[in-house]
Every structure is written in C-alpha cells, then in structure tokens.
Amino acid sequence: MKFTRRQTLAAALGSLGAGVLPRAQAQTQPFPSQVIKFVIPTPAGGGHDTMMRIIGQKLTDAWGQPCIVESRSGASGAIAAATVSQAPADGYTVLIGYSALLSNTVLMPKPGYRLEDLQPVGMLALTPIAFGVRESLPASTLKQYVALAKTRPGKLSYGSYGPGSGGHFVGELFNMAAGIDTVHVPYKGEPPALQDLIGGQIDAAVVSLGGVNRYPGKIKPLAVASATRFPSYPDVPTFAELGYPEVDMPGWGAAFVPAKTPKAIVDKLNTEMGRILVMPDVRAKLLELGFEPAPWSPDKTRRFMKDQLALTQKLIDAGRVKL
C-alpha cells in the first residue's frame, strides 16, 4: 500500500516519540557509568558544537563521566540522525537536532531515519535566525537590500547552513514576502557559509544571529527572524518591525535519544541539562553565542516539533523549498 506525502506526514505527527516509554530495563550499573557521546549534525566549530562543549563540560563535572562531541555533518543532518536512531537505546548516544531533522522527512525520499525512532530529551536553546550581508554590498538596511535585489533579479545570492535548513526556509520566506528573486547557496554548516560571505563569494547569509554578529566590520546584520529582538543584540530589528511579519521561524537545538531509551534515563538527562542551562555563567555564554536557553520538557519539545513539522510541510507545498 502506497502512502502520499501528506499521509506520511500525518503518521509522523502522530507517532513522533508518542506513547509511554518502556520501563527502564534492569541496569548492571546506574546511568551514567561511561562516556556520553553527543552527535551534532553540523561541522566542528559552529554554534551547536560550541554550545554542546559548554554543556558537556558541566555534565562531566556533575557526573564524573566524560562527555564528548562528535560531528557527523552532511546530508542536512540526516547522517547524524540516522546514526543516533540506530544506536543502542541506553542514553550514551545523544543527537543534537535542529530544524532539518524535520524537513528531511518530507524533502528526502529516504532520509535514513524516522522521527518515531527518536525520543526528545528536551529543547536546549532557541536560535534566532538572522539575515546578514557582506560589508561591501551597497545595502546597509533591509529596505536598501530589497531595492537592490529588485534591480538584480536572480543575481544576488544567500547562503544557509544546508538545504532544507532553517536558514533555507527563512531565506525563501523572505523572498516570497518581499517579492524578490535571490539564489540559495547551501553549505555544510554555518562556518563555511560565513567564510564565503566574508570572502565575497555570496552576497548574504541566513544563519544564526550569533554567527552573523561574530564578524563585526565584515558582516552587516540586517534583520532577525523572531517575534522579538534578541537580548544580546538589541540593535538588530526583527523582520516584523521592518514590514515582514510572516518571516518568523526560529531556529532551535534539541537533544534526542533512540526511541526505546528508558524513561528514567531520558528524565535524568533532561533534568541535569535543564539545571545546567539556567546556570548564570552558562546562560551568559549561550546568549553571547546567539542561543537563548530553553530548558523544555520532552512533552513541550514534542508539541513544538509537531507544530514546526506542519509549518514545514506547508512551505514545501508552496514549492519554494526543494533539495
């Protein structure tokens, strides 16, 4: 029996980490008793990598077990997601997923994983997605950029941290809202996109707000795709303030484990990472990186993902985002 894309989406929405997790199996040793590996879907050196090294060090301090961060970039995060979905359900392999985790399931014919094979541990942080342009581009405001783009249809380019990523979606939302035609250039993560922006290979980038602001004097941040301005960068206006309220799709980073991981382990990971996220020093570091700590429960994270998956499908149906 064949299913349509919408039927497949409905099934994913209904089964995303749904149901009660199986009771914890008898453990020979209490969790954690060995190395915990955090698999990130982006290259080393990016925002998610840095965030998890901060959190991982605090977990090591608290539990006395090493926490390592392993980059498995490529295929818009599908490689990392597939790796963790197939790992033992013991809490020692944790995926740090972002928006492409959802969009891959409706953009790719065979992403290599199913959403129901992953259990949310909890949200870690929301990441305002920002629009920045190279310093040499003759546009210092969003209004000027739109005017420039309208005189050069199909000529200006913007980079994102991957096809089907949050940056890709925000870039196309902006194109639609402003009535402009700019070319999407996908990268394997944020760092290479920013380097090419600084080098002049692309004209703009839709990446994390922290990434855009990491290079003052080289990148001009013009807008952020969130409901409100970000506390650490109050001078960067929102798209809504500039006349584009529909361009509001926050980036995010959440932790996942294989679906059959015992509930006691999921809860222990959620509780400890939530405690770490509200530490003043950790919060300050994450805000500086462009992350807003969001220590959510597994259930709240699951509800957010279902809403985001529905919005993702809506945008794909509009025909603006393809792999």
Side-chain angles (χ1 to χ4, degrees), residues 7-297:
Q7 289 171 321
T8 301
L9 172 65
L13 286 172
S15 59
L16 175 61
V20 179
L21 287 172
R23 292 182 179 180
Q25 302 297 317
Q27 301 290 316
T28 56
Q29 292 181 312
F31 177 87
S33 57
Q34 63 187 60
V35 175
I36 301 174
K37 180 170 65 177
F38 291 95
V39 181
I40 61 170
T42 53
H48 287 86
D49 175 73
T50 305
M51 175 179 71
M52 285 318 303
R53 291 184 188 280
I54 294 170
I55 295 173
Q57 183 58 57
K58 292 291 187 180
L59 284 173
T60 296
D61 295 342
W63 286 342
Q65 297 295 337
C67 293
I68 63 173
V69 179
E70 179 181 295
S71 173
R72 287 289 187 94
S73 61
S76 297
I79 295 173
T83 298
V84 176
S85 71
Q86 297 164 19
D90 55 11
Y92 292 106
T93 306
V94 183
L95 171 70
I96 305 305
Y98 65 111
S99 57
L101 179 71
L102 305 180
S103 59
N104 287 343
T105 63
V106 287
L107 283 171
M108 293 181 175
K110 295 181 179 180
Y113 65 93
R114 303 179 304 167
L115 288 177
E116 55 264 40
D117 292 334
L118 294 166
Q119 157 67 33
V121 171
M123 185 66 69
L124 299 177
L126 297 177
T127 315
I129 296 176
F131 181 80
V133 299
R134 56 183 169 85
E135 184 63 30
S136 57
L137 195 73
S140 297
T141 66
L142 198 66
K143 183 177 180 179
Q144 291 174 353
Y145 177 85
V146 170
L148 180 65
K150 287 185 175 180
T151 66
R152 304 179 185 179
K155 300 297 183 182
L156 297 185
S157 59
Y158 75 91
S160 78
Y161 39 89
S165 65
H168 187 185
F169 278 100
V170 169
E172 289 307 308
L173 276 173
F174 178 41
N175 272 344
M176 292 171 62
I180 57 178
D181 176 20
T182 65
V183 179
H184 175 235
V185 182
Y187 288 85
K188 292 183 178 180
E190 180 175 285
L194 291 172
Q195 288 303 315
D196 271 8
L197 179 60
I198 293 171
Q201 282 76 35
I202 54 177
D203 301 298
V206 189
V207 292
S208 72
L209 179 57
V212 168
N213 281 277
R214 200 172 298 141
Y215 302 96
K218 295 181 179 180
I219 299 175
K220 295 180 285 190
L222 302 187
V224 61
S226 59
T228 59
R229 297 192 183 198
F230 193 66
S232 297
Y233 304 104
D235 294 334
V236 184
T238 67
F239 277 99
E241 290 178 85
L242 301 175
Y244 305 103
E246 56 270 72
V247 187
D248 180 7
M249 194 173 188
W252 51 273
F256 302 84
V257 288
K260 293 183 180 180
T261 302
K263 185 177 186 301
I265 292 177
V266 174
D267 289 345
K268 189 166 187 177
L269 282 165
N270 175 270
T271 298
E272 190 60 30
M273 288 196 286
R275 184 185 70 83
I276 290 169
L277 287 169
V278 298
M279 290 180 174
D281 61 327
V282 172
R283 178 175 174 80
K285 289 177 182 177
L286 294 185
L287 286 172
E288 184 179 344
L289 289 169
F291 291 102
E292 185 171 4
W296 294 358
S297 69

